[in-house]
Amino acid sequence: QQPVQSPQAVILREGEDAVINCSSSKALYSVHWYRQKHGEAPVFLMILLKGGEQKGHEKISASFNEKKQQSSLYLTASQLSYSGTYFCGTEQDRNRDDKIIFGKGTRLHILP
Amino acid sequence: DARVTQTPRHKVTEMGQEVTMRCQPILGHNTVFWYRQTMMQGLELLAYFRNRAPLDDSGMPKDRFSAEMPDATLATLKIQPSEPRDSAVYFCASGPDRAEAFFGQGTRLTVV
């Protein structure tokens, strides 16, 4: 079951904040966040586990609401380097079915 | 600097030809994924392996696609016969017990 990401695209000015959402209709074990720049491979940002805490590094953080099966990625005081497509990947069951299924992505463009 | 290596980086082939894509996962990683990326579908999971055993290939067209791991240092994805709709970027990713996935640079396949 592919997670749904919103919004599909965001345009911001440098220094502004952004929130990207990811939701699933299935119970989740974990949520992964990746960023992909044009022409490059996706790069891992962070993983949030069921029962775990909110994660973050520098000005990028994420939360996981297990009850709602939703995760949000927060980008604070965005920098030009944050531009790219952000994917969330979800893992439904750690033991039985632990493949990562990705959403269709959110394109983020930061203007100077 | 450990990385996932994919070959070839680019492949142009005629419809009906066999295509083989290769991936060298990061040493010590026990899970390997194959994803296909298109503008319309985003990142689609084709197959994944744990400890070289295929766990899920439900996302793969069985009549023409096959994925194998002949040894721990090599994963292959074959398409026979190839069709224009197979044109996409194919990513291999590996991970240490599913904590995160490290992506290779991808193989850009064009079938004419």
Side-chain angles (χ1 to χ4, degrees):
Chain A
Q1 190 78 18
Q2 186 177 40
V4 177
Q5 290 186 233
S6 63
Q8 289 185 323
V10 183
I11 299 176
L12 297 176
R13 292 211 173 269
E14 195 173 11
E16 294 182 336
D17 300 341
V19 179
I20 299 172
N21 300 303
C22 174
S23 64
S24 174
S25 60
K26 301 287 187 181
L28 300 176
Y29 170 78
S30 69
V31 179
H32 303 230
W33 285 99
Y34 290 77
R35 176 171 62 206
Q36 183 179 30
K37 293 188 178 289
H38 183 69
E40 299 181 6
V43 174
F44 175 81
L45 293 176
M46 65 188 76
I47 181 173
L48 299 101
L49 303 178
K50 181 178 178 179
E53 297 179 351
Q54 181 165 334
K55 292 284 191 71
H57 59 89
E58 296 183 349
K59 297 177 181 177
I60 301 176
S61 62
S63 63
F64 179 19
N65 185 324
E66 299 166 31
K67 290 183 179 179
K68 293 185 177 181
Q69 308 307 327
Q70 293 177 348
S71 177
S72 294
L73 184 71
Y74 307 95
L75 298 101
T76 306
S78 58
Q79 305 169 11
L80 294 177
S81 62
Y82 289 2
S83 291
T85 300
Y86 289 77
F87 292 96
C88 74
T90 56
E91 186 182 0
Q92 291 183 14
D93 185 317
R94 185 65 176 97
N95 295 318
R96 184 174 61 83
D97 179 9
D98 53 2
K99 57 191 175 185
I100 307 173
I101 304 296
F102 286 95
K104 292 193 174 183
T106 295
R107 293 188 304 281
L108 176 65
H109 187 62
I110 309 295
L111 300 172
Chain B
D1 185 22
R3 62 181 62 188
V4 176
T5 303
Q6 289 187 245
T7 56
R9 291 291 311 278
H10 302 272
K11 176 72 175 179
V12 180
T13 191
E14 291 185 345
M15 182 173 61
Q17 295 299 304
E18 177 177 304
V19 175
T20 298
M21 291 169 270
R22 294 177 174 80
C23 167
Q24 181 177 356
I26 294 174
L27 189 65
H29 286 185
N30 65 342
T31 55
V32 174
F33 306 87
W34 281 105
Y35 289 93
R36 174 171 62 185
Q37 186 172 36
T38 60
M39 287 294 293
M40 294 300 294
Q41 299 299 326
L43 279 164
E44 299 175 272
L45 179 67
L46 296 176
Y48 101 97
F49 297 80
R50 174 178 281 178
N51 297 323
R52 294 177 54 202
L55 290 189
D56 192 314
D57 60 2
S58 58
M60 202 163 64
K62 301 292 191 304
D63 56 338
R64 299 184 300 108
F65 284 59
S66 63
E68 297 179 346
M69 276 201 77
D71 62 61
T73 64
L74 177 64
T76 62
L77 180 67
K78 292 186 180 180
I79 308 174
Q80 168 62 18
S82 57
E83 298 180 1
R85 59 178 169 156
D86 301 329
S87 297
V89 180
Y90 290 81
F91 285 105
C92 172
S94 71
D97 197 25
R98 303 295 318 289
E100 59 191 273
F102 294 81
F103 281 75
Q105 290 302 301
T107 294
R108 181 174 295 276
L109 174 66
T110 304
V111 183
V112 297

